[in-house]
Amino acid sequence: MSEEKSAGKALEEKLLTQKKNGLLKTDAAETERADAFCEGYMKFLDDAKTEREAVTASVALAEANGFTPYEFGKVYRAGEKVYLNVRGKSLILAVIGKNSLENGVRLLAAHIDSPRLDLKQHPLYETSEFALLKTHYYGGVRKYQWVTIPLALHGVIYKADGSGVTVNIGEDDSDPVFTITDLLPHLAQEQSKRTLADGIKGEELNVLIGSRPFRDDDVSEKIKLNVMKILNEKYGITEDDFVSAELEIVPAFKAKNVGLDCGLIGAYGQDDRVCAYPALEAILDCDNPEYTAVAVLTDKEEIGSVGPTGLNSDYLRHFLESLADMQDVPAYTVIRNSKCLSADVTAAFDPTFTDVHDPKNASYCNYGLAMCKFTGSRGKSGCNDASAEFVSQVRRVFDENGVIWQTTELGRVDLGGGGTVAAYIGNMDIEVVDVGVPVLCMHSPFEVTSKLDVYMAYKGFSAFIK
Ligand code: MN
Ligand code: MN
């Protein structure tokens, strides 16, 4: 016995947008696939907390999947898989397509740098019987979130003789960790009167790195010397070598399931590894695509895509030009016929701070991959505003491939805003739209995402480049 829908109900379903939790639109098997996919993602989060580590981890996965280092000037045939390591901090991966490059490439662009605390060039000092490290924060951090948590030290140091060492302290269970002190509430009456933005100031983000003196009364800074002695024994460095180092302070904890139902992931650096990893997996799984598929995992998004490893430089253009040369096609033809998903996170609707969102246009955890037609601030300023034509193409790709997706806007009008690499890719004359995973607590030491949304990013990116 079937129940007839009322005319109004049928019309409502036909004409009005039907929003629904993605987990109620899928079966248990799809949820299991999402959970399985996220096991690999959580391992990637633990292995790759910095842009350099993300490149290293991604290259290892790429080589295991048949990708070889790209050689400028070499001719590659359809189906061949290559990667270009851009100065150890950005990475381009490509699978040559069956179609001529005249038809452009299908591009995925995500970033692998995350907000953190960088060490200054003269970081190490001793005061009040402690050794500490001065930092200068990188990207948009809420400074009060970075005190009284376990911190790790990652990065590279290049010595006077030009040789380099890789640093990673605080991730192994046997490693020590570091931390930034904050006041006890008993003595915080004056500090508590500061605004939240000033609760902890930039010059107060000093990392505790040692407390035991070197035993010699002739030495003036015994604790600092003892720390430097330990670093010298471990890495062969002197204090001068901090000048040519890139050392990053990041949270020391690992990715965890969040919630009794384990539906969410909590971890540092999900902006934007939560898009970079699905983009990486999508291109690793991409065999014999119609169009040449390209994934770029870029550095420096969080500080404006600057420098030769940021997408406001020409490194991606040079790679596309090289592909064009290979098939004797004008580079401008390849570039202007290319299409891109700018894969970056968006603000998930926060259940406690609801009034920063327009609930009709916000994205929600578990509602799937989120498409953001425009970002920017104060009237879309500084953003890429994707064309209706291209948004229509992308929504069709998602709908035809079982991708659960939603739209998003980065908060209420005039409350703030932000940008992504989409603006720079658009400037190259490439059609581009922002698509990414909603994140709670974005830019905090412990960002939260939904496993279903992470998996839908993989499905969406795969469908776009296949
Ligand atoms: Mn981002
Ligand atoms: Mn960000």
Side-chain angles (χ1 to χ4, degrees), residues 373-386 409 413-414 418:
K373 185 177 181 296
F374 53 86
T375 59
S377 50
R378 302 175 313 282
K380 300 189 179 182
S381 186
C383 85
N384 168 76
D385 194 356
E409 184 178 33
V413 176
D414 283 342

Side-chain angles (χ1 to χ4, degrees), residues 111 271-272 301-302 344-345:
H111 69 91
D271 176 7
D272 184 35
E301 191 279 338
E302 293 294 355
D344 205 346
V345 298

